[in-house]
Amino acid sequence: MKRKWLALPLVAMVFMGCDSAQKPTAKPGESKSETAPVFTLAWSEYPSWSVFGVASDVGLIDGEEGKQGELEKKWKVDVVLKGVDYDTCIQLYGSNEADAVCITNMDILGPAKDRASVAILPTSTSLGADACITVGIDSIEALKGKTTKGLERSVSQYAFERILTKRGLDPKDYPFANMDPGAAATAMQSGDKEVTSIMVWNPFVLQTLRDVAGSKKLLDSSEIPEEIIDMVVVAKDSLGKKGGDAFARCVIDTFYAVNARMEKPETADSTLVAIGAKFSNLKLEDMKEVVQQTRFYKTPKDALALIQGEEFRNKTMPAVATFCVEHGIVTAKPTVGFDAADSQLNFDSSFLKAHADGK
C-alpha cells in the first residue's frame, strides 16, 4: 500500500506484500554488461504502480538483473524491479539504493530536499480513492469534535484537512489521530466502538463500505481533483549516469504499453485482473470501480496536460507544498520547478514529449 512519509518509522501494514520477483540486486547504475546498464525502480502495490509488476509478468520488462524483456532490449537497459511496501520504497530511494521510485507528489517533498529528483511520469490521480468513512456520524457537522483515525503526516491527513479547509472549516475542530489504515479499517469492520471515523484509501474504502452496515462516505478526494498525484520519480544523479535517459524512456514506454493493453477490448479485462492480483487480490468488478476512483493518465497527452497546465504549475503544486509545511506534514519544502533542471524537485516534461513524438 502507499503513502507514508520517510520521516515516520516503518509501520506494518496489511495487504503490503513483496513482489515475488524481488531478489538481491546490484547497486544503482552498476551493470555486468557494457551495453545494458542496470537501474532499479522501487514500486509498491497501488493500481497505477502495479502496472510495472504486470509488465514484468508479460515480458515487456523482465524485472530481474541480467535479464531483459522486450522494452529493455529496445532501450538497451536492464531494469530491476524492487516490489516492496511503500515505506521501504521511500527508504530505498532516500538512501540511494534505488534509482527511481513510485511515489506521490506529497511524499517526494521530503526526499527531494536531500536528493535532487525528477518527476518524469504522472501515473494516476486520486478522485475518490481516499475517503473518510464513518459509522453513526451522518454529517460533517456531526463529525465536529470526534476523532478520525488515519495515518498522520500522510496523504490521508492531507486529504482530510485540505477538504475541511476547502469547505471553510477549521481542521482543529476535527481531531485526527494516528492509526495504521489497515488497523483502522479492521477496527471499524469488527465493530470497535472507539473507531467511528476513519480516513483511509483503497482497498480499505471499498471493503469498509461493503462490509460495515450503516457505514457512510462523508468526504473523499474527488473534492480536491488532481491534487493527489501518483508518479514515477527518478533521481537526478541516476539520470546523469550512462543509460539514464534510456532508463527513463523505458519506464515511460512500459507504463503506456500496459495502458494500451487496458484499452484493447481483447486484453482489457485480463490486464485489469492482473493489476488487481497485485493490488490486494481485488477481482475484476472491484478493479473496475478502483480505476474510476484512481484515474490513470493513460497517454502522454493526458500526462502533459497535467504537468504543463497552468493550474498544476502555478496553483496546485505550490499550494500543496505550502499546505504540507504549514500543517506539519513535512518540515520544509524543496525548490519545485517545471522543466527547471536546477530545482530540487523538477517536473520534467521532455521525456513525455519525446514519447508522444515517437522519438
Side-chain angles (χ1 to χ4, degrees):
M1 304 311 303
K2 72 173 183 174
R3 304 165 159 184
K4 184 184 160 209
W5 263 257
L6 181 64
L8 289 179
L10 295 180
V11 177
M13 299 178 70
V14 297
F15 301 113
M16 283 186 173
C18 291
D19 182 66
S20 59
Q22 183 189 356
K23 292 180 174 63
T25 62
K27 293 292 184 181
E30 292 182 351
S31 176
K32 298 176 182 178
S33 167
E34 290 297 321
T35 58
V38 178
F39 294 88
T40 58
L41 169 64
W43 68 280
S44 59
E45 57 173 77
Y46 205 67
S48 66
W49 298 337
S50 296
V51 160
F52 295 105
V54 172
S56 183
D57 289 346
V58 301
L60 293 171
I61 53 178
D62 186 274
E64 292 188 41
E65 185 178 346
K67 299 179 181 180
Q68 291 175 296
E70 172 188 338
L71 296 180
E72 289 167 289
K73 292 175 182 177
K74 172 183 174 181
W75 293 103
K76 297 181 173 60
V77 292
D78 187 354
V79 179
V80 177
L81 294 178
K82 294 189 175 183
V84 292
D85 65 76
Y86 189 59
D87 287 326
T88 303
C89 283
I90 302 176
Q91 292 281 1
L92 290 172
Y93 181 77
S95 61
N96 292 3
E97 295 180 71
D99 296 289
V101 63
C102 293
I103 196 168
T104 68
N105 59 322
M106 295 152 199
D107 291 343
I108 192 59
L109 294 173
K113 285 288 294 179
D114 298 314
R115 190 180 190 192
S117 300
V118 182
I120 63 165
L121 175 68
T123 59
S124 61
T125 185
S126 178
L127 292 173
D130 298 86
C132 177
I133 309 298
T134 60
V135 174
I137 301 172
D138 295 327
S139 67
I140 201 71
E141 291 78 15
L143 181 64
K144 188 174 182 179
K146 297 181 173 64
T147 299
T148 296
K149 302 291 182 69
L151 203 59
E152 284 182 329
R153 295 168 60 85
S154 73
V155 167
S156 290
Q157 183 182 355
Y158 173 88
F160 183 72
E161 296 189 1
R162 174 72 180 93
I163 294 167
L164 291 173
T165 302
K166 190 173 181 179
R167 290 188 179 190
L169 302 171
D170 188 346
K172 292 179 181 178
D173 294 331
Y174 298 83
F176 190 94
N178 188 54
M179 190 173 189
D180 174 271
T186 298
M188 180 169 282
Q189 291 165 20
S190 65
D192 188 336
K193 301 300 183 184
E194 298 299 315
V195 181
T196 57
S197 176
I198 61 175
M199 187 73 193
V200 294
W201 55 77
N202 273 328
F204 306 120
V205 173
L206 282 176
Q207 293 165 339
T208 304
L209 289 172
R210 182 176 55 210
D211 297 342
V212 180
S215 59
K216 178 183 179 66
K217 183 189 290 188
L218 211 56
L219 54 85
D220 67 49
S221 54
S222 65
E223 296 188 47
I224 48 172
E226 294 198 308
E227 291 190 24
I228 301 171
I229 306 296
D230 309 308
M231 312 187 299
V232 176
V233 173
V234 183
K236 185 177 180 180
D237 57 357
S238 293
L239 284 174
K241 295 175 183 176
K242 177 183 176 182
D245 281 6
F247 166 62
R249 295 294 306 280
C250 183
V251 168
I252 290 172
D253 207 355
T254 299
F255 179 73
Y256 291 126
V258 176
N259 273 269
R261 289 172 177 251
M262 293 174 65
E263 292 301 298
K264 294 178 181 177
E266 63 271 24
T267 55
D269 284 357
S270 61
T271 304
L272 205 53
V273 167
I275 293 172
K278 295 184 181 299
F279 178 55
S280 301
N281 294 312
L282 294 185
K283 304 305 180 185
L284 180 60
E285 292 309 310
D286 281 341
M287 283 304 300
K288 286 181 176 180
E289 185 172 351
V290 162
V291 295
Q292 295 299 314
Q293 298 172 348
T294 306
R295 192 188 72 198
F296 282 42
Y297 293 103
K298 298 178 181 179
T299 67
K301 181 180 178 181
D302 294 336
L304 286 168
L306 172 75
I307 65 173
Q308 290 186 320
E310 291 297 314
E311 185 76 15
F312 187 73
R313 287 186 173 216
N314 298 328
K315 295 181 181 179
T316 302
M317 196 59 207
V320 165
T322 298
F323 189 95
C324 288
V325 172
E326 290 178 347
H327 290 247
I329 295 172
V330 294
T331 55
K333 59 183 174 183
T335 56
V336 179
F338 292 84
D339 297 315
D342 58 346
S343 300
Q344 291 173 306
L345 174 58
N346 179 28
F347 287 81
D348 189 335
S349 63
S350 64
F351 299 103
L352 287 166
K353 289 178 182 176
H355 187 89
D357 293 340
K359 295 178 180 178

